[in-house]
Amino acid sequence: MQALTGQYTHTLDEKRRVSIPRKILETLRAHDSADEIVVTAGLDGCLFLYTKQGFEEIARKVDGSPLGEESTRDFQRNFYSSTERCPVDGNGRFLLGDTLRALAGIADRVTFVGSGQRGELWQPDAWAERQTRTRAHYTTQAKDVLR
């Protein structure tokens, strides 16, 4: 899959719809996911955005975890109960529901962040704070990731 890249801040309209940034929408179109995306609780205070295919790949990993482990069942419950399949309209907008917005503290603006095989949706101030805190460690992280 072509990587989702860049960062873009958009405003939610009065109906809680948000426009997908053009470059991200083009990538979704290239992967036959321009009509529907999947949004779920992410990590670090954000939401994760997946293509339909990308979500199915993650779901296989989640479902392949040992069901006998209580932590697995708890994660599966949280993961699936916070997941929404979001239709994308002809203008490239989708409805960001109340539950998901509350999980990430998103009110009237959202920052889309490309993270390779997934996108992330952040409350803009939380994203700025995260970037400030983690950017200083980029070189060290690169050494670990790019071995």
Side-chain angles (χ1 to χ4, degrees):
M1 175 175 150
Q2 181 181 349
L4 296 171
T5 61
Q7 59 180 308
Y8 317 86
T9 299
H10 284 215
T11 301
L12 280 74
D13 68 15
E14 65 280 350
K15 296 180 181 178
R16 298 182 328 272
R17 295 175 303 192
V18 63
S19 295
I20 299 171
R22 182 181 53 79
K23 289 185 178 184
I24 290 179
L25 189 58
E26 289 170 0
T27 301
L28 296 174
R29 284 187 179 127
H31 296 284
D32 197 30
S33 199
D35 62 335
E36 181 183 78
I37 56 173
V38 182
V39 181
T40 190
L43 303 173
D44 307 316
C46 72
L47 303 173
F48 287 166
L49 179 153
Y50 293 103
T51 63
K52 294 178 281 190
Q53 178 185 352
F55 179 76
E56 295 308 319
E57 291 172 13
I58 293 296
R60 278 192 291 280
K61 291 179 183 179
V62 171
D63 291 343
S65 299
L67 191 57
E69 298 289 331
E70 183 177 7
S71 62
T72 295
R73 296 188 306 276
D74 287 340
F75 178 81
Q76 289 171 329
R77 290 177 189 119
N78 285 312
F79 180 77
Y80 285 115
S81 68
S82 67
T83 298
E84 293 184 21
R85 293 184 178 274
C86 302
V88 178
D89 70 16
N91 294 317
R93 300 174 301 191
F94 69 97
L95 177 68
L96 188 56
D98 293 339
T99 301
L100 289 171
R101 285 187 313 110
L103 282 172
I106 294 170
D108 59 344
R109 296 180 323 133
V110 60
T111 298
F112 288 79
V113 176
S115 291
Q117 301 305 303
R118 69 174 187 282
E120 296 181 351
L121 304 176
W122 287 83
Q123 190 281 339
D125 293 335
W127 170 245
E129 188 279 325
R130 183 85 184 177
Q131 277 292 89
T132 298
R133 189 164 35 89
T134 61
R135 183 56 83 171
H137 306 289
Y138 186 74
T139 299
T140 303
Q141 294 164 342
K143 290 175 185 176
D144 291 337
V145 172
L146 303 175
R147 295 185 239 181

